[in-house]
Amino acid sequence: MDHRLRRRIDDLMAALSSHLEEAASLSRERLGAIPPVAVVLGSGLGILADHMQEARDLAVEDIPHYPPSTVHGHAGRWVAGRLDGTFVLALKGRVHAYEGYSQDQVVFPVRLLAALGVKTLVTTNAVGCIDRRLRPGDLVLLEDQLNLMFRNPLRGPNDDAAGPRFPDMSAAYDRDLMAVALETARQEGLELHTGVMGGLLGPSYETPAEIRMLARCGADVVGMSTIPETIAARHLGLRVAAISCVTNFAAGLSARPLDHSEVTEAAEMARGRFSRLLAAFLARI
Ligand code: HPA
């Protein structure tokens, strides 16, 4: 390889690792002991982080190199504490590729979690439903994903110390965690479906033709988040589980045009059941 290109790659990797070290050191200082499990609270669930006990928190804007919020006054927060007794690190708010972030920025939080020693990532999100078994309000445990964002957070030089150049994605969502989630739902008397998520970049919702295509490709639900986080987490060897809340019928499956307020309202309506499932699941892993 050309030595100038080699130098540039080495410089890029050194910058990323020094950024992660600086961010990790501030996070440790402010949060204290870091739990082994982190949970990303998607649309409508952020409020869970406000009810944690013995909590220490940190505004993400204080974390060096953390992607800056694009929504004024809506920066995220990291909270380490007890959620119904279970010690977890809750991430309130996430970074979406459609906001204009680079893939490196989108997965910076996941890389930071790994640098802090987190071993298990539980993500939650809002999705539209494609499969006819599903309807708004349903909870869906992701079993696999279709990356239709046409980008990959691992593109670029690979840090072989962090993870392999070509990571295996044959079980992106951990089978043991899935079994625990399904058993938890059964014991709690809550319905939990399983399904494949198709992830698109957004921010426009899909067209009915795109939804028909996704259905033929095997997607049960569709969303604009989670996919890059799961790829980066698997690369780093984290175990991943994801639970989606269906907030709407995907485009073309209902007569109503899609609207963001429908999504946030449906997520809020499901919040009670979702929180109960999540807390019980976290207590078992
Ligand atoms: N499409 C994409 N992302 C979404 C949807 C949808 O219908 N609902 C919630 N997030």
Side-chain angles (χ1 to χ4, degrees):
M1 185 189 293
D2 176 292
H3 72 277
R4 274 169 309 189
L5 180 58
R6 182 74 256 169
R7 262 272 286 287
R8 217 174 106 65
I9 290 174
D10 289 345
D11 288 350
L12 275 173
M13 294 204 325
L16 176 62
S17 79
S18 83
H19 289 177
L20 284 171
E21 268 166 37
E22 285 169 36
S25 123
L26 184 280
S27 308
R28 277 198 200 93
E29 197 178 293
R30 298 276 288 276
L31 296 174
I34 304 290
V37 177
V39 54
V40 177
L41 301 172
S43 306
L45 282 182
I47 198 163
L48 274 186
D50 303 336
H51 299 299
M52 287 169 58
Q53 302 90 40
E54 300 164 36
R56 292 178 70 167
D57 76 335
L58 170 60
V60 297
E61 61 202 1
D62 292 344
I63 304 179
H65 313 290
Y66 204 95
S69 172
T70 61
V71 190
H72 185 68
H74 281 271
R77 272 171 56 226
W78 283 26
V79 188
R82 299 205 175 271
L83 185 67
D84 281 359
T86 314
F87 188 41
V88 293
L89 177 55
L91 276 61
K92 188 177 170 178
R94 59 147 64 85
V95 176
H96 302 88
Y98 63 71
E99 293 173 74
Y101 295 112
S102 69
Q103 288 287 291
D104 270 336
Q105 288 176 306
V106 171
V107 300
F108 186 84
V110 171
R111 290 183 170 148
L112 178 53
L113 291 174
L116 289 168
V118 167
K119 303 287 181 225
T120 302
L121 177 68
V122 176
T123 58
T124 61
N125 64 15
V127 292
C129 60
I130 300 175
D131 188 278
R132 301 272 172 190
R133 291 172 302 142
L134 301 171
R135 43 206 13 77
D138 283 351
L139 301 177
V140 182
L141 178 69
L142 296 189
E143 56 183 329
D144 207 345
Q145 66 183 26
L146 291 167
N147 179 10
L148 298 171
M149 295 187 170
F150 301 108
R151 56 203 68 205
N152 190 302
L154 308 182
R155 179 172 176 268
N158 186 56
D159 178 357
D160 295 333
R165 171 74 290 187
F166 303 109
D168 175 48
M169 289 294 287
S170 53
Y173 296 99
D174 189 89
R175 296 297 177 250
D176 293 338
L177 290 178
M178 283 185 67
V180 175
L182 290 168
E183 178 56 21
T184 304
R186 206 184 56 77
Q187 286 181 6
E188 293 287 318
L190 293 166
E191 193 175 20
L192 180 61
H193 298 268
T194 55
V196 174
M197 171 173 152
L200 276 74
L201 185 61
S204 51
Y205 287 115
E206 302 71 34
T207 63
E210 286 165 345
I211 293 301
R212 289 194 296 274
M213 174 193 76
L214 285 168
R216 291 198 183 110
C217 291
D220 300 305
V221 294
V222 58
M224 303 174 194
S225 66
T226 305
I227 302 266
E229 294 158 21
T230 299
I231 295 173
R234 292 303 302 135
H235 176 244
L236 295 161
L238 271 64
R239 298 191 307 162
V240 184
I243 307 176
S244 300
C245 176
V246 175
T247 53
N248 56 281
F249 287 106
L253 300 185
S254 94
R256 275 172 75 181
L258 287 179
D259 177 50
H260 183 60
S261 59
E262 178 188 351
V263 169
T264 49
E265 276 162 32
E268 267 153 41
M269 298 247 303
R271 188 163 63 208
R273 278 179 300 122
F274 206 164
S275 314
R276 193 147 68 79
L277 175 64
L278 200 57
F281 175 49
L282 292 168
R284 285 173 172 78
I285 59 177

